[in-house]
Amino acid sequence: MSLSTPSRRLPFAAATAIAVAIAASLSGGSQAASPMRDNDPANDVLIDNVRVFDGSRVLSNTRVLVIDGRIVDIGGKAAAPAGVTRVDGSGKTLYPGLIDAHAHSWGEARTDALRFGVTAELDMLGDWNRLPDLKRERESLARTQQADLWSAGAAVTAPGGHGTQYGMKVPALDKDGDPAAFVAGRIAEGSDYIKIILEDFSAHSETRRIPTITHAQAKEAIDAAHAGKRLAVVHVSRMRDGTAAIEAGADGLVHIFGEPADAAFVAAAKRRKAFVIPTLSVLGTMAQAGEGAKLVDDGKLSPWLTKEQRDSLKATFGAGDPHPAVLADAIANVRALHAAGVDVLAGTDAGNPGTAHGVSMHGELELLTRAGLSPSEALAAATSVPARRFDLADRGRIAPGLRADLVLVEGDPTTDIRASRAIVTVWKNGYAVERTRPVAGEAASPAGEALPAQTVLSDFDADAAGNAPGMVPANFGAGWMPTTDRMAGGASTGQIRRIAGGANGSAGALEVSGEIKPGFAFPWSGAMVFPSKVPMQLADLSSRKDLVFRVRGDGRRYALMLFHGNQQMPSMQMFETTADWTEVRVPLKNFPGADLSRVRGLAFTAGNPVGAFAFVLDDVRIE
């Protein structure tokens, strides 16, 4: 049951589509200000005897005074107000709150981020309806338990292209569309910067392709963004697209590619003063390098992880063989860019498998040091550099007048980057963040409904007459239903029906058939079964070891997906079909990062290539 993919080419976000559709210049020296207090002294603090990384420099054995949520003095002699909270920083380092320059934020993401010292995230594709609220929140100095968020809102992408697969209707730029008008629409919605997508999927598959805008359209979109006083950042996964974007005037790339960069690309990035957000964390997932799982095992980080974060860090894109060259090439590319003086920004692409908000930034910092950045340079890549490049004027540094988004850690991360993980205190807007240990509160994520003692989920021997339209009953749970990409705007078709005659002469089986049609980035069609009494509610499979079923079909390769917990990305295995009945046994532990105590459903689906498909299931067991 291993997922075999062509060398260096990996499956990407098709599973996300199903999941979502079914369930979104530094200040220097000592400056003093006259300490003035508001009516809430809780955002006043004096941190004394502390080593400070201010975003570029290290200041030894100094003090930082915060009044009303803003830094008013560094190393000076300004008198602290009576009653101000005093913190002894001996043996510790204070650095600015981290900025994740590439994230996809929903649910508890911003709370998770703040717990790990990430005080701001730059969302690279998200719900544009929340943009006004996000702006109000990040302008406030009120107490909060969430990181601040900037967002690109909707991206500039082709119909059916990358960014359209997440289960909600999004605007897209037609091949004959007007890029300038499209960008103007995003600016009117309040996008903080414009994200442009050049992605045909060729970096991930030898055969699968998805629609993408042209280089000429990208150039027009970049020019329109600049005319609207917005940065233009570009998603790429191939060097050819990265070079084209930079030569077209893009301010930055929001990924580095997992193929070797040539000297011309590096020279163009330097000449054009472009920045790069490598997102090595997610490239590590694509390489099957297990970088996320390593964070789960770190004793400084593990106690602060939620169950969902643990699951996400252990998850992968499919179950293929390792592709170490993907991460190795990406790291080599970052090394070359950094050596040339190109700005490198730390970003994780959190929200994807193998990542988790907040915690993955500490993994990204270590990966950047592997790519040749010094620990101090890696910290700058996560603080002052993104603040400068995205014009986040009041954060990313420790300087008088800036907001007090601060992190205090044991040790010295400017010499050992892993010391960034030994967090003592996080301050947001001058308020100490209430960090709790989610592991001690696992009851917040209870196990799902217990399964009955029987192991046969479906033998299909009973006639489906009288069941809900389109549904086929199971021996327990809510039963089977068809699922297709039509719910997310696709055109694929599919149906399921109970037929007479099953495996080994049994009375019945489940026929699943349909047609995969073009027009959607990641098409699918198939059957889904819910082990709980209510569709998509949680079921506890943790006492079971194997999913077993019999199948015959048309010789296509199919995806078996397990939906669990609050994850948008299901865990996935693949299975083959032949004209003869075959028993398939899949150890449940083989589903990467799956929370077996909180399973929502199992889907048996066809994907690309386009065309008709058909297979028959029987004797589905959870043993």
Side-chain angles (χ1 to χ4, degrees), residues 423-450:
I423 296 174
V424 177
T425 306
V426 177
W427 286 274
K428 181 76 186 78
N429 301 337
Y431 293 97
V433 174
E434 296 179 8
R435 297 180 78 222
T436 59
R437 292 179 177 256
V439 172
E442 286 292 344
S445 298
E449 175 185 312

Side-chain angles (χ1 to χ4, degrees), residues 2-25:
S2 65
L3 175 63
S4 59
T5 57
S7 175
R8 308 271 305 279
R9 300 184 185 271
L10 304 169
F12 195 49
T16 303
I18 303 175
V20 178
I22 292 175
S25 163

Side-chain angles (χ1 to χ4, degrees), residues 239-240 242-243 256-257 259-269 332-333 336-337:
M239 183 180 67
R240 65 184 184 222
T243 302
I256 194 61
F257 30 82
E259 60 184 5
D262 62 20
F265 167 78
V266 175
N333 295 341
L337 290 164

Side-chain angles (χ1 to χ4, degrees), residues 324-549:
V326 170
L327 182 57
D329 285 344
I331 287 175
N333 295 341
V334 175
R335 186 181 298 276
L337 290 164
H338 176 62
V342 174
D343 280 342
V344 174
L345 283 61
T348 65
D349 210 358
N352 276 288
T355 69
H357 289 267
V359 62
S360 286
M361 273 296 282
H362 298 281
E364 189 74 19
L365 291 175
E366 184 177 5
L367 286 166
L368 290 177
T369 63
R370 287 195 224 167
L373 280 70
S374 71
S376 289
E377 289 170 335
L379 282 175
T383 55
S384 59
V385 180
R388 170 168 53 84
R389 294 307 304 250
F390 280 85
D391 195 25
L392 314 183
D394 67 343
R395 63 196 78 207
R397 298 170 290 142
I398 299 178
L402 303 193
R403 70 175 56 222
D405 289 357
L406 305 167
V407 184
L408 183 68
V409 297
E410 294 283 358
D412 184 3
T414 68
T415 58
D416 176 9
I417 196 61
R418 291 173 65 90
S420 73
R421 310 175 181 193
I423 296 174
V424 177
T425 306
V426 177
W427 286 274
K428 181 76 186 78
N429 301 337
Y431 293 97
V433 174
E434 296 179 8
R435 297 180 78 222
T436 59
R437 292 179 177 256
V439 172
E442 286 292 344
S445 298
E449 175 185 312
L451 297 187
Q454 66 191 111
T455 61
V456 179
L457 175 61
S458 292
D459 53 20
F460 307 108
D461 286 346
D463 197 319
N467 201 58
M471 295 283 291
V472 172
N475 293 344
F476 60 86
W480 297 78
M481 65 172 285
T483 176
T484 78
D485 56 30
R486 285 177 176 264
M487 66 180 69
S492 298
T493 62
Q495 51 276 325
I496 64 173
R497 68 185 182 105
R498 188 249 180 200
I499 60 173
N504 297 329
S506 68
L510 182 72
E511 181 184 72
V512 184
S513 61
E515 183 179 359
I516 300 297
K517 295 187 177 183
F520 189 67
F522 306 101
W524 81 87
S525 179
M528 190 162 186
V529 63
F530 307 103
S532 181
K533 295 184 182 70
V534 177
M536 292 304 288
Q537 293 301 301
L538 301 173
D540 186 356
L541 276 60
S542 60
S543 64
R544 306 296 174 89
K545 294 183 178 180
D546 298 301
L547 174 66
V548 187
F549 57 94

Side-chain angles (χ1 to χ4, degrees), residues 44-304:
D44 302 342
V45 62
L46 174 64
I47 307 163
D48 208 356
N49 306 314
V50 70
R51 180 188 303 105
V52 169
F53 174 75
D54 70 358
S56 63
R57 304 169 303 161
V58 177
L59 308 174
S60 299
N61 193 28
T62 190
R63 71 199 290 265
V64 175
L65 178 62
V66 173
I67 302 294
D68 292 348
R70 292 194 180 275
I71 301 160
V72 299
D73 184 58
I74 304 172
K77 302 299 182 183
V84 68
T85 300
R86 294 175 178 266
V87 175
D88 183 9
S90 300
K92 302 177 180 66
T93 301
L94 188 73
Y95 60 78
L98 301 176
I99 301 168
D100 189 335
H102 188 142
H104 297 280
S105 183
W106 62 82
E108 298 300 311
R110 294 161 66 196
T111 300
D112 290 338
L114 189 58
R115 190 166 59 254
F116 287 94
V118 175
T119 57
E121 290 189 322
L122 305 183
D123 190 86
M124 285 298 163
L125 186 149
D127 182 3
W128 55 92
N129 295 299
R130 60 182 176 164
L131 290 169
D133 288 338
L134 295 178
K135 183 176 181 180
R136 284 191 293 270
E137 289 171 5
R138 65 187 187 236
E139 289 177 347
S140 171
L141 281 169
R143 187 191 294 271
T144 179
Q145 287 295 118
Q146 296 187 118
D148 290 328
L149 189 68
W150 282 254
S151 181
V156 183
T157 191
H162 185 55
T164 68
Q165 72 269 33
Y166 298 109
M168 63 180 181
K169 186 175 179 60
V170 298
L173 178 61
D174 293 326
K175 63 180 180 180
D176 297 324
D178 182 349
F182 189 92
V183 169
R186 311 290 73 76
I187 293 174
E189 289 167 348
S191 292
D192 296 302
Y193 35 86
I194 301 301
K195 180 182 178 182
I196 299 159
I197 294 179
L198 288 172
E199 174 64 75
D200 67 359
F201 215 70
S202 62
H204 310 295
S205 171
E206 295 281 2
T207 58
R208 183 184 302 176
R209 295 294 179 269
I210 62 174
T212 187
I213 66 172
T214 66
H215 289 173
Q217 286 179 310
K219 173 74 166 66
E220 290 185 58
I222 291 167
D223 291 343
H226 292 162
K229 302 187 185 305
R230 297 293 193 277
L231 293 182
V233 299
V234 184
H235 164 113
V236 300
S237 58
R238 300 300 302 268
M239 183 180 67
R240 65 184 184 222
D241 293 327
T243 302
I246 287 172
E247 293 290 11
D251 297 284
L253 304 181
V254 296
H255 294 289
I256 194 61
F257 30 82
E259 60 184 5
D262 62 20
F265 167 78
V266 175
K270 180 179 180 179
R271 184 178 69 256
R272 292 283 190 168
K273 295 182 171 56
F275 61 81
V276 176
I277 308 170
T279 63
L280 295 174
S281 296
V282 80
L283 285 163
T285 306
M286 293 180 182
Q288 304 284 0
E291 295 294 335
K294 293 175 186 176
L295 301 177
V296 178
D297 295 332
D298 189 310
K300 294 185 180 69
L301 301 173
S302 184
W304 306 97

